[in-house]
Amino acid sequence: MNILHVSAQRPDSTGSGIYLRETVGALESQGHRQAVVAGVGLGDASPFSDDILFEPVRFESDALPFPVVGMSDVMPYASTRYRDLTPQMASQFKDAFTKAFDHVFAQFKPDIVICHHLYLVCSVLADWFERHPEDRARCSFRGACHNTDLRQYESHGLEREAINRAVRSLDVIFALHGEQAKEIALMHGIDPAKVRVSGIGYNDALFVEDPSRRDDSGCRMVYVGKLWKQKGLMELFGAMDLLESRDTRDLCLELIGGYSNETERDEIMARAESCQVPSVFAGQMNQELVRNEYQRSDVFVLPSFSEGLPLVSVEALACGCKVVMTDLPGLREWFDMYIPDAPLWLVELPELIKDGSWRIANDESRARFERNLADALSEAIEAEHRPCDLSQLSWGALAQRLIAD
């Protein structure tokens, strides 16, 4: 089968980039021919094997003289916010991706096209298909939602009609979980039957337990994600200050990830300095090094206010971590369906206000959230280690769901 993947973002960074890269790798191992159109920086190399036809759309170039667009307003690399695109920039974006589609379809005839993110590049591809009905007729046009696309769509008015029209033209839409599937259908006014829950996948060859790495002399916690207030990091330090002395004995926290807002990074690091639990800011790491840190750790924590379906939580579970995270919409149902035996503690979200990004509504809600987070961390720290069954969540299993009839 011939499969074309499309993304406006770099295919080697953030959760959706890893999702794209890993599903391409899984489908390649299953014998499918593939091509990828993706937005990259001027000097970025292909992250795919030579057998994958890679058509880069290069930002920071004469055709696109601005950094790669980011589905989140804060990305772990230099990026352009969609809300900041001028009409001229949006036109340049459309022209560049249209030319890439012209070039790819001239040499590659896909049976399935998977567009990652239900957003602007999806509308460009839908417009391209309208001008090439013979190509549209021969392939299944599918879209994979990664949650950030929905947040962009609802937060500002960029090309909303075109994006909505494109999403409605898709043959199949993949949602991360059931609550998101309902939201997609309602937001875009489409038949719920077109939306399938595909979930996420993880690299089951890389992310495995290694008991020899774990140090039983203390308790290590690890966070993986952007250094960003919306990830709940300020409240995480507040929660750790509420832990009883028996919990903080030999306890430490490692934070892995980059940043794009230097002011927020400095505030987060300053708050960490005053916390009773020592912290280490490790910066960005490749997947092998992240795996090593999971294997060394006892508890993975992600107190984020907004996520789709965080792959990092599954990777941490696979490496033997207990997981503490916020009870985001759809997560409890998804974990009950795919990993019912997971050592998982879900913490009720605080009352939130959307003001550019999510923030806690008031001090009372913040204090309650920090107390609940501290209680969950205490329970996880004291709990015995236990493995869980992740057999349904390999990248190969997910890739098969993406191309199923």
Side-chain angles (χ1 to χ4, degrees):
M1 188 179 294
N2 291 351
I3 305 162
L4 170 63
H5 305 259
V6 175
S7 174
Q9 287 192 175
R10 287 171 53 175
D12 59 350
S13 298
T14 73
S16 62
I18 293 171
Y19 182 111
L20 188 157
R21 187 185 66 201
E22 294 291 350
T23 51
V24 167
L27 290 167
E28 181 181 17
S29 69
Q30 294 168 14
H32 300 285
R33 295 182 64 242
Q34 295 175 94
V36 177
V37 174
V40 297
L42 186 59
D44 291 347
S46 170
F48 305 106
S49 74
D50 292 340
D51 292 329
I52 306 299
L53 173 61
F54 183 50
E55 180 72 20
V57 177
R58 296 203 177 274
F59 289 75
E60 301 170 299
S61 63
D62 291 340
L64 285 171
F66 49 89
V68 179
V69 288
M71 286 307 305
S72 294
D73 284 351
V74 178
M75 300 292 286
Y77 51 81
S79 62
T80 301
R81 300 193 309 174
Y82 275 102
R83 67 178 70 246
D84 294 333
L85 290 182
T86 65
Q88 180 183 7
M89 295 164 72
S91 179
Q92 291 169 326
F93 177 101
K94 295 175 188 178
D95 289 345
F97 276 94
T98 296
K99 290 177 182 176
F101 298 144
D102 287 340
H103 192 238
V104 165
F105 278 90
Q107 54 188 317
F108 187 82
K109 299 301 181 184
D111 302 297
I112 293 175
V113 177
I114 302 172
C115 188
H116 293 262
H117 297 115
L118 312 178
Y119 207 58
L120 187 58
V121 75
C122 185
S123 72
V124 179
L125 184 50
D127 289 344
W128 191 92
F129 274 136
E130 286 187 7
R131 296 190 298 273
H132 300 82
E134 69 286 356
D135 288 289
R136 177 66 181 93
R138 70 179 306 277
C139 68
S140 176
F141 185 20
R142 305 182 175 195
C145 178
H146 296 280
N147 194 62
T148 47
D149 39 9
L150 303 184
R151 306 289 77 84
Q152 288 289 337
Y153 183 83
E154 70 179 358
S155 65
H156 57 88
L158 176 68
E159 302 280 350
R160 287 175 64 92
E161 291 185 9
I163 293 167
N164 178 258
R165 187 169 60 250
V167 174
R168 291 167 67 91
S169 75
L170 293 165
D171 298 313
V172 179
I173 299 170
F174 297 104
L176 297 173
H177 50 70
E179 285 300 311
Q180 187 181 84
K182 296 175 186 175
E183 184 179 8
I184 293 168
L186 182 63
M187 181 178 291
H188 291 289
I190 59 177
D191 181 355
K194 291 177 66 173
V195 188
R196 304 178 187 174
V197 174
S198 59
I200 54 176
Y202 81 102
N203 187 335
D204 57 347
L206 177 65
F207 292 98
V208 296
E209 285 197 62
D210 185 353
S212 67
R213 289 188 185 275
R214 190 161 282 115
D215 183 358
D216 294 331
S217 64
C219 181
R220 291 175 53 89
M221 298 195 307
V222 62
Y223 162 88
V224 178
K226 302 171 195 171
L227 300 185
W228 192 19
K229 286 184 180 179
Q230 188 167 315
K231 294 289 188 178
L233 294 179
M234 301 295 274
E235 290 71 31
L236 173 59
F237 295 121
M240 291 195 296
D241 277 338
L242 296 174
L243 294 176
E244 298 177 5
S245 58
R246 62 185 173 82
D247 292 326
T248 59
R249 185 180 63 250
D250 299 322
L251 181 65
C252 64
L253 170 68
E254 181 175 23
L255 299 102
I256 301 171
Y259 66 93
S260 59
N261 186 316
E262 189 170 341
T263 299
E264 286 204 9
R265 179 208 61 178
D266 291 346
E267 291 180 21
I268 290 167
M269 295 182 76
R271 179 64 183 87
E273 285 290 327
S274 66
C275 182
Q276 69 171 338
V277 175
S279 299
V280 175
F281 290 84
Q284 289 185 280
M285 294 182 177
N286 63 34
Q287 284 201 299
E288 287 76 13
L289 292 177
V290 172
R291 183 271 318 274
N292 294 347
E293 297 310 306
Y294 286 145
Q295 291 174 337
R296 296 176 61 202
S297 300
D298 301 280
V299 177
F300 169 81
V301 57
L302 183 67
S304 181
F305 303 150
S306 178
E307 299 280 345
L309 187 56
L311 174 60
V312 286
S313 64
V314 175
E315 294 170 344
L317 285 168
C319 293
C321 292
K322 295 164 282 187
V323 169
V324 175
M325 58 192 301
T326 37
D327 193 359
L328 297 160
L331 278 191
R332 189 179 298 273
E333 174 191 1
W334 186 86
F335 274 101
D336 286 345
M337 179 183 297
Y338 287 103
I339 329 174
D341 57 346
L344 175 71
W345 286 259
L346 293 176
V347 180
E348 181 182 358
L349 281 165
E351 183 181 350
L352 297 169
I353 296 173
K354 185 65 182 294
D355 182 17
S357 61
W358 292 105
R359 60 183 178 85
I360 297 179
N362 51 60
D363 290 341
E364 181 182 354
S365 186
R366 175 175 289 103
R368 183 168 57 251
F369 176 62
E370 290 180 354
R371 179 71 267 169
N372 291 341
L373 181 56
D375 290 343
L377 288 170
S378 291
E379 290 183 19
I381 290 166
E382 295 297 327
E384 293 293 324
H385 165 74
R386 72 172 190 266
C388 56
D389 180 7
L390 298 166
S391 58
Q392 298 184 69
L393 300 178
S394 69
W395 285 118
L398 172 61
Q400 280 299 305
R401 293 194 286 273
L402 294 181
I403 65 171
D405 291 336

